[in-house]
Amino acid sequence: MNLITQPIIGANYLPLGFRLIWRKGVRGYVFLPLLINIVIFSLLLWLSISQFGNLIDRLLPDLPDWLSWVAWLFWIFFALAAVMIIFYTFSLVANLVAAPFNGLLAEAVVQHLTGERDEEALSFAAMLNEARQAFSDAVRKLIYNLAWTIPFLILFWIPGINIFAPLTWFLFTGWILALEYLEYPLSNRKLNFKQQR
């Protein structure tokens, strides 16, 4: 069965993936990075709210009552900016935090689906080495992504060519997502980032 020529069949695997998340031996590799990410963003949000409150107090120390709406306006802009920053950075930080766990997650899923267990891959030394390599690969992917993102974004500003920019951006995003989510099973087969590309 070819998932590339039959994309609907591939889409049917999405619910199967969600069911796998709850399986014993798999869920820890999913929820631990998610919990770490939520803690990081909660702390950063709490810190930024407290610092923004101090900034407002310093910038607008003695506003008359009739101008108190200005402080609320600043808070609205802050909330919108915070939502935008969280929206655009959550998956980036999540992928960096989850990078050491994703290889283990892929191995746990393979074990669950096939019943085969790679004892060497599950040893503590192998896990530490894999975590280091996964984080290194995640940073390398980020640099690769940024190196290609800039030229593609420039296409949006070139008259005439910018007509094709959305299509090239769509194809580029598909390529990056394929690299992102195929990395873990491929790295479990000892393929480095260059070989994966």
Side-chain angles (χ1 to χ4, degrees), residues 7 83 94 121 143 179 191:
V83 166
I143 293 168
L179 283 177
L191 296 175

Side-chain angles (χ1 to χ4, degrees), residues 10-11 24-25 50 54 70 105 118 126 136 139 151 153 155-156 162 166 193:
K24 184 178 179 183
S50 65
N54 292 337
V70 172
L105 172 63
D118 185 357
S136 170
V139 171
L153 288 177
L155 290 178
F156 281 93
N162 63 355
F193 184 58

Side-chain angles (χ1 to χ4, degrees), residues 15-16 130 138 148:
L16 175 65
E130 210 170 295
W148 281 101

Side-chain angles (χ1 to χ4, degrees), residues 9-193:
I9 293 172
N12 289 333
Y13 282 98
L14 185 63
L16 175 65
F18 280 116
R19 283 195 299 273
L20 280 173
I21 288 173
W22 299 101
R23 301 284 186 199
K24 184 178 179 183
V26 173
R27 64 178 163 241
Y29 299 119
V30 174
F31 292 114
L32 184 60
L34 182 63
L35 180 64
I36 293 170
N37 206 34
I38 289 171
V39 167
I40 288 171
F41 272 92
S42 298
L43 289 173
L44 288 175
L45 190 60
W46 171 78
L47 180 66
S48 62
I49 287 172
S50 65
Q51 292 304 313
F52 188 75
N54 292 337
L55 180 66
I56 292 290
D57 291 343
R58 272 189 270 132
L59 289 177
L60 309 170
D62 296 319
L63 277 179
D65 287 340
W66 64 275
L67 273 180
S68 63
W69 61 271
V70 172
W72 283 103
L73 188 64
F74 279 121
W75 277 107
I76 291 170
F77 285 133
F78 171 77
L80 291 173
V83 166
M84 294 294 288
I85 289 169
I86 289 171
F87 178 77
Y88 284 109
T89 61
F90 191 85
S91 64
L92 172 68
V93 174
N95 283 332
L96 284 174
V97 168
F101 298 95
N102 286 336
L104 300 170
L105 172 63
E107 189 63 40
V109 168
V110 167
Q111 178 187 342
H112 176 76
L113 294 176
T114 65
E116 298 173 9
R117 182 178 176 92
D118 185 357
E119 294 298 334
E120 180 185 332
L122 296 176
S123 72
F124 185 71
M127 284 194 282
L128 283 179
N129 186 40
E130 210 170 295
R132 181 193 56 77
Q133 184 64 39
F135 188 77
S136 170
D137 282 346
V139 171
R140 202 171 293 122
K141 273 191 314 192
L142 180 62
I143 293 168
Y144 176 83
N145 190 352
L146 288 175
W148 281 101
T149 297
I150 293 168
F152 279 112
L153 288 177
I154 290 172
L155 290 178
F156 281 93
W157 294 95
I158 301 174
I161 295 176
N162 63 355
I163 295 170
F164 302 104
L167 176 63
T168 59
W169 185 257
F170 176 77
L171 294 173
F172 169 69
T173 303
W175 170 249
I176 293 300
L177 287 173
L179 283 177
E180 180 69 36
Y181 294 106
L182 286 174
E183 178 208 355
Y184 306 110
L186 293 177
S187 64
N188 283 348
R189 281 150 183 79
K190 311 299 184 230
L191 296 175
N192 63 31
F193 184 58

